[in-house]
């Protein structure tokens, strides 16, 4: 059954409106009319809902709450050094399907891509739409927030708001005494919010490594192989899912 996210608080009469592209999708693509059912998600809860009217906007009446736990037990934010091409689109979509809580892109020292600040808002909006559609497809109750692009300095300030900061560092994979990611996960059982930092194609620079180590971040490998920048976040989320779900 199709799922739609609705912003705002649940009203007392439990009648809410679905507008814009979602309303068009319901009426024109799905061809649903009054009396049909869909799943509406509000305030992090999914409700089996009945369509009341399906005109320009679609009004639905929120019904029974669906008691399914679909969110990762840990709120994992993925911090990605800006990658080339459309890799950030792929990371957004697939990481959302795997349970990412938020995405924080940052301009790493070795990022080849430089975002035009005048177009940044439009790009973030597109990524937010990708996250919304992926959350609907994967039957989630939370749409990951796509943060504006941060500088590395801003990333370090933001890092102070998380219970744990983990850095996926490719040099750890080359170290015979590397710290296994599985060992890192065992220490997260009493943590709620986790920030995992991934470098761009060129990796994390020496100065960024020094700053993160000075901050107290935990460095880890993601196995003995070197993963692509778009693969590493998905590996990490899948491992977290295996450990905690």
């Amino acid at each position: 059954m199709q799922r739609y996210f609705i912003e705002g608080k649940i009203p007392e009469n439990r009648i809410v409106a679905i507008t814009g592209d979602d309303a068009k999708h319901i009426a024109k693509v799905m061809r649903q009319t009054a009396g049909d059912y869909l799943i509406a998600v509000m305030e992090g809860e999914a409700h089996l809902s009945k369509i009341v009217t399906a005109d320009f906007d679609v009004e639905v009446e929120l019904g029974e709450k669906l008691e399914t736990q679909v969110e990762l037990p840990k709120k994992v934010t993925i911090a990605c050094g800006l990658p080339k091409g459309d890799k950030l689109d792929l990371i957004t979509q697939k990481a959302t399907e795997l349970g990412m809580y938020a995405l924080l892109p940052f301009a790493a020292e070795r990022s080849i891509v430089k975002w035009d600040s005048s177009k940044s808002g439009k790009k973030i909006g597109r990524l937010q739409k990708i996250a919304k559609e992926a959350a609907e497809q994967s039957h989630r109750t939370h749409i990951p927030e796509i943060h504006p692009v941060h500088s590395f300095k801003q990333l370090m300030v933001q890092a102070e708001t998380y219970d744990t900061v983990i850095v996926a560092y490719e040099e750890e994979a080359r170290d015979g005494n590397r710290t296994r990611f599985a060992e890192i996960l065992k220490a997260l059982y009493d943590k709620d919010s986790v920030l995992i930092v991934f470098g761009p194609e060129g990796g994390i620079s020496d100065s960024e490594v020094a700053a993160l180590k000075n901050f107290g971040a935990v460095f880890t490998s993601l196995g003995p192989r070197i993963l692509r920048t778009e693969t590493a976040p998905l590996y990490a989320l899948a491992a977290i899912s295996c450990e905690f779900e």
Side-chain angles (χ1 to χ4, degrees):
M1 189 176 292
Q2 196 71 26
R3 166 175 306 230
Y4 300 92
F5 285 86
I6 306 172
E7 296 181 355
K9 299 290 185 180
I10 297 175
E12 290 186 9
N13 65 2
R14 301 182 69 81
I15 303 282
V16 295
I18 299 175
T19 62
D21 290 341
D22 284 344
K24 292 178 183 178
H25 186 267
I26 293 168
K28 303 298 183 182
V29 179
M30 301 303 294
R31 296 187 179 278
Q32 289 186 292
T33 59
D36 290 337
Y37 286 84
L38 53 77
I39 296 174
V41 182
M42 291 191 74
E43 298 186 59
E45 297 178 348
H47 300 265
L48 181 63
S49 304
K50 183 178 180 179
I51 297 176
V52 178
T53 61
D55 297 316
F56 183 75
D57 292 336
V58 175
E59 286 193 332
V60 301
E61 181 177 9
L62 301 181
E64 64 176 293
K65 177 183 172 183
L66 303 178
E67 300 287 352
T68 54
Q69 177 55 44
V70 294
E71 296 300 325
L72 274 181
K74 306 298 175 184
K75 295 178 180 178
V76 181
T77 295
I78 300 296
C80 281
L82 287 176
K84 296 185 293 184
D86 60 357
K87 292 177 182 178
L88 205 55
D89 292 14
L90 175 67
I91 292 170
T92 299
Q93 182 187 64
K94 301 308 179 186
T96 296
E97 293 176 16
L98 288 167
M100 172 181 73
Y101 189 78
L103 177 70
L104 198 163
F106 70 97
E109 189 174 327
R110 293 177 179 170
S111 287
I112 297 173
V113 173
K114 306 297 181 185
W115 277 27
D116 185 340
S117 58
S118 65
K119 299 178 181 179
S120 180
K122 185 176 180 180
K123 290 181 178 180
I124 293 298
R126 189 187 75 251
L127 292 175
Q128 192 68 68
K129 183 178 180 181
I130 291 172
K132 174 181 177 293
E133 292 173 349
E136 290 171 345
Q137 185 276 328
S138 55
H139 286 201
R140 291 189 58 180
T141 55
H142 168 77
I143 302 174
E145 178 183 0
I146 311 300
H147 291 277
V149 175
H150 284 44
S151 65
F152 182 75
K153 184 177 180 180
Q154 290 172 324
L155 172 65
M156 295 305 299
V157 172
Q158 190 69 24
E160 296 178 1
T161 65
Y162 294 88
D163 295 334
T164 301
V165 177
I166 300 171
V167 181
Y169 188 41
E170 64 273 14
E171 293 302 323
E172 284 280 335
R174 300 187 178 99
D175 190 343
N177 296 318
R178 60 189 174 85
T179 303
R180 298 175 64 245
F181 192 49
E183 297 170 0
I184 300 296
L185 296 182
K186 299 296 184 186
L188 296 184
Y189 274 88
D190 61 342
K191 309 297 183 184
D192 180 47
S193 60
V194 182
L195 176 69
I196 310 182
V197 181
F198 301 88
E201 290 84 357
I204 301 172
S205 71
D206 292 343
S207 62
E208 290 166 342
V209 167
L212 286 161
K213 285 185 175 180
N214 185 60
F215 175 81
V218 179
F219 280 67
T220 183
S221 69
L222 298 178
R225 294 163 295 280
I226 304 300
L227 304 180
R228 291 179 180 270
T229 189
E230 68 270 30
T231 307
L234 310 185
Y235 176 105
L237 287 164
I240 291 171
S241 176
C242 286
E243 179 67 30
F244 295 103
E245 291 189 305

